[in-house]
């Protein structure tokens, strides 16, 4: 029997660019999952030249926004920052449309943040398993994440053995004070790694918490926004990541204070 958990202090934020039927289907599956387990608010922001995603049905927990964006490269960091401005809860769960984890792993991280033992956590242990169309069909038909867990022996980890992306959970005020998402990343790149490294530098007393189980990546075709858009985007993103990694806590605080998008958050940053 499913027990819906409150998690009223948590808001899920999901930026999206629908570039295939599978991406839209994955978002449907993710929404069904969250609504099935939690009473948290869900904010979706689609940014594209025209609207491609339609909610299957209106739900009081779900708030959908559309922004017209003619840029073929989807700037994930920009729209996460827009979504943060909508959130009023103390905890933010940033989510990719194609990521799903057992509900207990989400509450595990939320409990750590609520208790003050962590500022940020990842709702998985670093292993992101890539589902294939067959696994995905099995999950779609059953709606049971246990089906994916049972098929782990037949899946491969994405990006080797350690991942940082897909989903993260963070103390809202601390994260916005720490710059939110780094908009110097203009497209797909190491922004997930930068986010973690930045918080490790700023909060050395709070290691990034990792939940005990794995994350599943729901299959979709890998198109323009599933890799570096071009060599310039790749070089710029890697240079920004290296720059962050080389900084001390005070150097990073000073650098963050120059980020122009901080004014949107209306929150006091480090001095």
């Amino acid at each position: 029997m499913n027990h819906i958990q409150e998690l009223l202090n948590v808001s899920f934020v999901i930026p999206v660019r629908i570039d295939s039927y599978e991406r839209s289907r994955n978002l449907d599956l993710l929404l069904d999952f969250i609504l099935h387990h939690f009473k948290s608010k869900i904010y979706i922001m689609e940014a594209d030249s025209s609207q491609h995603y339609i909610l299957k049905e209106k739900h009081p927990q779900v708030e959908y926004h559309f922004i017209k964006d003619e840029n073929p490269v989807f700037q994930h960091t920009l729209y996460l920052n827009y979504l943060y401005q909508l959130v009023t809860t103390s905890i933010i769960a940033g989510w990719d449309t194609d990521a799903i984890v057992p509900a207990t792993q989400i509450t595990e991280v939320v409990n750590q943040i609520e208790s003050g033992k962590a500022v940020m956590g990842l709702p998985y242990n670093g292993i992101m398993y890539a589902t294939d169309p067959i696994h995905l069909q099995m999950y779609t038909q059953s709606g049971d994440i246990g089906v994916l867990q049972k098929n782990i022996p037949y899946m491969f980890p994405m990006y080797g053995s350690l991942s940082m992306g897909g989903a993260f959970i963070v103390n809202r005020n601390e994260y916005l004070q720490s710059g939110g998402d780094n908009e110097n990343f203009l497209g797909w790149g190491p922004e997930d790694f930068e986010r973690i490294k930045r918080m490790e530098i700023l909060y050395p007393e709070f290691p990034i918490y990792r939940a005990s189980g794995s994350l599943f990546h729901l299959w979709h075709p890998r198109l323009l926004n599933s890799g570096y858009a071009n060599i310039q985007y790749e070089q710029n993103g890697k240079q920004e990541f290296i720059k962050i990694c080389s900084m001390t806590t005070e150097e990073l605080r000073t650098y963050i204070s120059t980020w122009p998008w901080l004014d949107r958050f209306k929150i006091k940053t480090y001095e």
Side-chain angles (χ1 to χ4, degrees), residues 9 14 18 23-26 29 42 46 57 84 108-110 132 138 141 152 157 167-168 195 212 221 249 251-252 258:
N9 61 335
I14 310 168
I18 301 295
R23 187 86 74 174
S24 180
R25 172 209 58 199
N26 291 351
L29 291 172
I42 305 167
E46 180 181 7
E57 59 180 277
Y84 299 153
E108 182 183 342
V109 177
V110 169
D132 62 24
M138 294 167 64
Q141 292 175 344
I152 282 178
F168 66 93
R195 179 188 299 120
S212 53
T249 301
E251 288 171 341
L252 183 52
T258 69

Side-chain angles (χ1 to χ4, degrees), residues 10 123 142 149 151 174 191 215 222 225 256 266:
V10 179
S142 67
Q149 292 174 303
N151 280 274
E174 298 294 344
E191 72 272 13
L215 180 147
R222 302 194 68 81
N225 287 292
I256 289 170
K266 293 180 174 55

Side-chain angles (χ1 to χ4, degrees), residues 67-114:
I67 290 183
K68 189 173 182 65
D69 183 357
E70 300 286 355
N71 188 346
V73 178
F74 182 56
Q75 190 178 357
H76 199 254
T77 55
L78 172 66
Y79 294 112
L80 275 171
N81 281 342
Y82 274 121
L83 284 163
Y84 299 153
Q85 298 170 67
L86 304 175
V87 172
T88 58
T89 56
S90 60
I91 296 176
I92 295 171
W95 228 265
D96 288 354
T97 55
D98 313 298
I100 191 166
V101 301
T104 54
Q105 294 171 206
I106 296 173
T107 56
E108 182 183 342
V109 177
V110 169
N111 290 339
Q112 290 291 313
I113 295 174
E114 279 185 323

